[in-house]
Amino acid sequence: MRQKRQAALRLLLVLALLAASASCLGGSSGRRVLVVMTPWTAEAEKNAFQAVLTAFEARTGITVRAAPTRALDQVLRTAVQKREEPDLAVMANPGALRSYAQQGYLVRLDRFQDKELGNGLLDLLKSDYGPPWSRAGEAVNGAPYAVMVKASVKSLIWYAPQQLAARPPDSWAGLVGVGESIVQRGGTPWCLALADPPNSGWPGTDWIEDILLHRSGADTYTDWVDGKLGWSSSEVAEAWQAWGRIVAAPGAIHGGPLTALLTGYGEGARPLFTAPPGCSLTHGAPVAPDPAAPTEPVLGRDYDFVPFPEFQPTPTPTPAPAPAYEVSGDLVAMFRDSPEAEKFMAFLASPEAQEIWPSRQPASAFSANRAVTTRLASGYATGSVARRIGELLTSSATLCFDASDSMPSTMAAAFNHAVVDYLNDPTRLPTILAELDKVRADAYPQPTQSSVCGF
């Protein structure tokens, strides 16, 4: 009950800030104070984004206030319904972007009042932001609606070198074997945490998406995102089963399934850094070491990563397919058109702004601007996390945007819930997939073409 009251209070505070700022004037210049709603409540993220805002204010004299909330989707929808929407907001995912755009709430980037500024922004997005980054910001009829403010890679396996005799193998069968051997020695191979109300389960969706992408390829992945491939299909069902062989086996995950279901996703990797470690491996975007650890973990000694392993068919095709990686990012869209908001959107896409966040968090935040990522990566130490992930992002690999983030919101929510149900009882998989197919029938009233993958 106390947590519900605190959540309600936070909602009221954010809405009050939005209402108070909607008509606020900034100083003697007469310019409006811009409000941008964000999901970044952790200090490191808040400070990094504030550095972006500070740079914009120094360049333009325009004041921007961040309105952070962990329940961004719910708070934003309430604000929109009350007609107290912010000037700009970070979208929960591309699916939410499409929903707001289809309802006419968002400003198209090709409809700027300042045509020169708008044309410059569109030219930049075309030249420096390749797919899937540019496509993730598109909505109605492929029109541009958002700018990617930062990017991340999800197709990574993190591990504790001291717990493994060697680096994790680059094949799926080898990775499964490593987990089984750790269990046989009395250890626990995997860390997993799925709790993130009201979106609990999404770390598990990342697993299944990665498996489907690497097992069946980018075309199958795209058909699934677009609703053309059923959940009960052999490709999708086998991806769930493969994940089950990793995490549903006895002793496979730290604390067991119940602990995974109740542990907040932000704390999921912490057992990797305890003494002795509570697990040896974890999956996902760059890992944040435990801030409460007595000494800061050292990359290469205490933790490291390898790309998600490939499923190697027999016989292996010649030539072998290019590697593929699942990526994600944070999109900013504009609800209220104004000269100040247009300047802010153009600034967010600029190389100057795109360098700020990755420079402050080089191991966990990256730019969707390929030129910026290439330039920053070349300045990092050889072998560092930042350089290796930067090189991965700018390689010839196929990049596919997070599948559930690209699905309709009702489909993504059902996917999250299904992951929780599956981990609680893997024997229900056929029923779970049949229920997802029912949601799919309603979530895709007409064919879609997401182009979720690209180079």
Side-chain angles (χ1 to χ4, degrees):
M1 182 65 74
R2 180 181 178 185
Q3 290 180 335
K4 291 183 178 180
R5 288 198 299 268
Q6 291 175 336
L9 178 59
R10 287 194 295 269
L11 171 59
L12 291 174
L13 289 173
V14 172
L15 292 176
L17 173 59
L18 294 174
S21 301
S23 60
C24 182
L25 297 178
S28 60
S29 68
R31 286 174 168 164
R32 295 171 61 255
V33 173
L34 296 178
V35 176
V36 53
M37 187 182 292
T38 79
W40 303 308
T41 57
E43 286 302 312
E45 290 182 317
K46 285 197 300 182
N47 292 341
F49 187 58
Q50 184 57 51
V52 176
L53 303 186
T54 299
F56 174 72
E57 292 171 354
R59 172 178 284 272
T60 64
I62 300 170
T63 302
V64 186
R65 292 179 181 170
T69 170
R70 282 287 301 138
L72 184 143
D73 192 42
Q74 292 73 24
V75 174
L76 182 58
R77 291 189 184 280
T78 300
V80 169
Q81 291 168 2
K82 297 177 68 174
R83 301 307 302 171
E84 295 176 352
E85 63 271 14
D87 296 281
L88 311 105
V90 178
M91 295 289 95
N93 49 57
L97 176 77
R98 290 194 298 270
S99 176
Y100 284 117
Q102 289 165 356
Q103 296 175 70
Y105 290 119
L106 300 181
V107 179
R108 285 173 54 156
L109 304 187
D110 57 358
R111 297 284 177 85
F112 272 21
Q113 298 174 27
D114 186 330
K115 296 301 181 184
E116 183 176 351
L117 189 68
N119 290 336
L121 171 58
L122 295 178
D123 289 343
L124 181 62
L125 292 177
K126 291 178 182 178
S127 63
D128 288 8
Y129 293 76
W133 306 116
S134 58
R135 292 173 182 164
E138 297 174 352
V140 182
N141 297 322
Y145 280 88
V147 169
M148 190 74 65
V149 68
K150 72 179 178 74
S152 65
V153 182
K154 293 193 171 185
S155 294
L156 304 174
I157 299 293
W158 295 85
Y159 67 100
Q162 295 177 341
Q163 301 302 305
L164 301 178
R167 287 163 55 93
D170 58 5
S171 71
W172 177 257
L175 187 65
V176 172
V178 166
E180 292 173 347
S181 66
I182 292 174
V183 172
Q184 292 172 359
R185 297 197 306 267
T188 302
W190 293 98
C191 275
L192 179 66
L194 300 181
D196 186 25
N199 303 308
S200 295
W202 68 260
T205 71
D206 286 351
W207 261 110
I208 294 164
E209 291 159 9
D210 239 344
I211 293 171
L212 182 69
L213 174 62
H214 287 81
R215 188 177 187 278
S216 300
D219 290 342
T220 298
Y221 183 94
T222 300
D223 285 346
W224 177 51
V225 171
D226 290 347
K228 300 171 184 175
L229 180 66
W231 291 81
S232 297
S233 66
S234 60
E235 296 92 338
V236 178
E238 288 168 4
W240 283 79
Q241 293 163 357
W243 184 53
R245 285 193 288 274
I246 283 280
V247 300
I253 54 178
H254 177 73
L258 182 59
T259 296
L261 292 170
L262 297 178
T263 302
Y265 82 96
E267 301 176 359
R270 291 188 178 180
L272 198 68
F273 304 105
T274 58
C279 66
S280 299
L281 304 136
T282 191
H283 166 266
V287 166
D290 185 355
T295 58
E296 184 175 353
V298 177
L299 176 65
R301 185 192 71 190
D302 302 310
Y303 70 111
D304 205 340
F305 80 89
V306 293
F308 196 87
E310 297 298 326
F311 283 76
Q312 299 175 350
T314 304
T316 301
T318 303
Y325 303 110
E326 184 182 19
V327 296
S328 65
D330 296 290
L331 294 158
V332 174
M334 185 165 59
F335 281 85
R336 296 176 182 265
D337 199 357
S338 68
E340 296 84 4
E342 292 181 3
K343 289 180 180 178
F344 183 64
M345 289 292 286
F347 177 76
L348 286 180
S350 71
E352 177 186 353
Q354 289 286 317
E355 286 186 3
I356 294 172
W357 200 319
S359 296
R360 295 179 68 93
Q361 292 186 294
S364 59
F366 300 86
S367 174
N369 184 312
R370 290 178 62 89
V372 169
T373 298
T374 299
R375 183 164 59 253
L376 290 177
S378 66
Y380 297 134
T382 301
S384 66
V385 167
R387 181 156 185 163
R388 288 157 58 198
I389 296 180
E391 290 171 345
L392 182 154
L393 282 170
T394 54
S395 69
S396 61
T398 299
L399 302 182
C400 293
F401 205 83
D402 184 289
S404 57
D405 283 354
S406 304
M407 293 174 179
S409 57
T410 52
M411 191 76 260
F415 191 7
N416 290 341
H417 185 71
V419 163
V420 173
D421 283 350
Y422 176 69
L423 190 62
N424 187 54
D425 184 3
T427 64
R428 292 192 64 249
L429 181 60
T431 300
I432 290 171
L433 296 180
E435 291 171 348
L436 288 171
D437 271 325
K438 292 179 182 178
V439 176
R440 166 176 164 258
D442 294 328
Y444 296 89
Q446 56 188 8
T448 61
Q449 187 68 37
S450 66
S451 299
V452 71
C453 294
F455 293 92

